[in-house]
Each structure stands twice: as C-alpha cells, then as structure tokens.
Amino acid sequence: MAGVRGHRRTVLLGDRGKELCKSTVIFRLGRLLPGGAKGPGIFFVLPCTDSYTKVDLRTVSFDVPPQEILTKDSVTVSVDAVVYYRVNNAIISVANVENANHSTRLLAQTTLRNVLGTKNLAEILADRENISHQMQSILDEATDPWGILVERVEIKDVRLPVQLQRAMAAEAEASREARAKVIAAEGEQNASRALKEAADVINESPSALQLCYLQTEMQSPLRRTPPLYSHCPLNSCRG
C-alpha cells in the first residue's frame, strides 16, 4: 500500500508540474474575458456560459517530414529538418488561428521547400547554418501574428540520389588522383634541380666525386665483405 500511495503521489505531482506550464484562455458567451489569459493557478469558470482552452507555454519540437526539393541547379534532393518553437501569447494563438500547432507545421514544410529551392546543391551541403537562420527568421516573422515564437531551426539530413552520389565520388577520386600526379611531378622537378646542383658542385671539386663513390660503396646492400680501398688519384683514372 505504501508503494501504491507513493506512485499516486508522484503522478499527482507530475500532473501538477504540467499544469504550471499552461495558460488558459476563457470565452464567456463567445467573447474573450478581459484581463488576458488565466493561470497558472486558480481561476473560476461558469459551467454553462464559459468555454476555455488550455495552451502549453513550454518549448515544443517537431520533425519536418522529408521534402523532395528541386535545387537551383536542377538536382532533386530529399531534406528534413527539426523546428523548436513556443507560444509567447496564449490569447493570440487561440483567437487568431484555428490550430496554431498544425499551422506552424505546415508552414515549416513550405518554408523548407521555398528556401532550399533558391539554393544550389553545393550551398545546401556547405552552408546549412545560414540556411537554418534564414528559415528561422522567415518562420518567426510569419508566425508572429499567431502568437508563436520560433526559437531554432536545424536541417537534419540531405539525401542525394544514388547516381549523383556515385558521380560525386568518382569526381572526388579523379580530383585526388590529379592532385597526386601534380605533387609527384613537382617532387621530381625539385629532385632534378637538386641533382643538377649537386652535379655542378661535384664537377668543380674532383675529390667530392671520389667521396661520393666511396659512400655509395659503403651503403651498397649487396656487399657482404668489408671493402678494400686503395688510394688512386682521380686524375690518373681519367687519363
């Protein structure tokens, strides 16, 4: 019994916490009562003449379903988003629009299609933050007469067609290969310049050529026995 009472008490406290985040708009004989919205707290309603609507003042989030969008450069993509909003004026949200939540959801879908339809595919993939801010400002301005404040808009995912993904992957691979060939060519060019400078230095100093020959012999991986050296002037070898 103690466990059941504790569970009931928790449920009552949870319901009470939800009610503290709600405001109530009361109509008497079809007219809005003066004084604005009531609550949270105690208020009185006449049984036969009054009708009321409770409005949740907490931040609400909803997912925008994936929208098939034709971009400015004629590419079809599927984009979805998430919107965070809250009611900042309970009276306007009840009196000026039939269903503020449903209207905000529909407007978010059309705004997503309209905004992304003016962007190229590269802009959609690389500039999501600015697109989200643009959508937020448009939605906030449009829903202000409904008493809705749009706090945040985020683009969740951009899905590309499979053929386009393959084409982009092939293009990226070709670009990497071309860049690798350019880097290899630049390395060979720099190496040839260094070898030319080394040849010029060796040509000016005959002893440097002899030292390079000895160093090559010492570093040869095929030599198993220690080398035997004899002093032989380079000029005699040339003769």
Side-chain angles (χ1 to χ4, degrees), residues 12-153:
L12 291 176
L13 290 176
D15 294 339
R16 187 179 302 174
K18 292 181 180 179
E19 295 298 327
L20 291 177
C21 301
K22 292 183 179 180
S23 182
T24 306
V25 180
I26 303 176
F27 291 88
R28 179 165 296 168
L29 297 177
R31 293 185 177 182
L32 184 65
L33 282 183
K38 309 298 181 181
I42 299 176
F43 56 89
F44 299 96
V45 178
L46 299 181
C48 299
T49 60
D50 293 353
S51 61
Y52 63 91
T53 302
K54 290 184 177 181
V55 180
D56 196 342
L57 302 179
R58 295 174 296 179
T59 299
V60 181
S61 64
F62 66 88
D63 293 326
V64 179
Q67 304 294 313
E68 295 289 337
I69 299 170
L70 183 64
T71 62
K72 190 176 181 180
D73 50 354
S74 301
V75 178
T76 303
V77 295
S78 178
V79 184
D80 56 355
V82 59
V83 179
Y84 300 87
Y85 74 96
R86 63 180 176 86
V87 177
N88 63 347
N89 193 321
I91 296 177
I92 295 178
S93 66
V94 174
N96 288 6
V97 63
E98 181 180 1
N99 191 332
N101 296 330
H102 184 63
S103 300
T104 303
R105 293 173 183 267
L106 294 179
L107 184 61
Q109 297 179 19
T110 57
T111 303
L112 179 64
R113 289 195 296 266
N114 294 336
V115 171
L116 296 184
T118 61
K119 305 292 183 180
N120 297 326
L121 178 61
E123 295 175 349
I124 295 176
L125 296 176
D127 202 13
R128 293 189 181 186
E129 186 175 355
N130 291 334
I131 294 175
S132 300
H133 288 316
Q134 184 179 357
M135 286 186 58
Q136 178 184 355
S137 62
I138 294 175
L139 281 175
D140 193 22
E141 182 178 358
T143 57
D144 186 64
W146 303 341
I148 300 294
L149 175 64
V150 179
E151 297 179 341
R152 191 178 183 88
V153 177

Side-chain angles (χ1 to χ4, degrees), residues 208-220 227 229-230:
L209 179 61
Q210 187 176 5
L211 292 176
C212 289
Y213 174 75
L214 296 177
Q215 184 178 5
T216 304
E217 287 292 330
M218 289 293 295
Q219 295 178 353
S220 176
Y229 298 106
S230 61

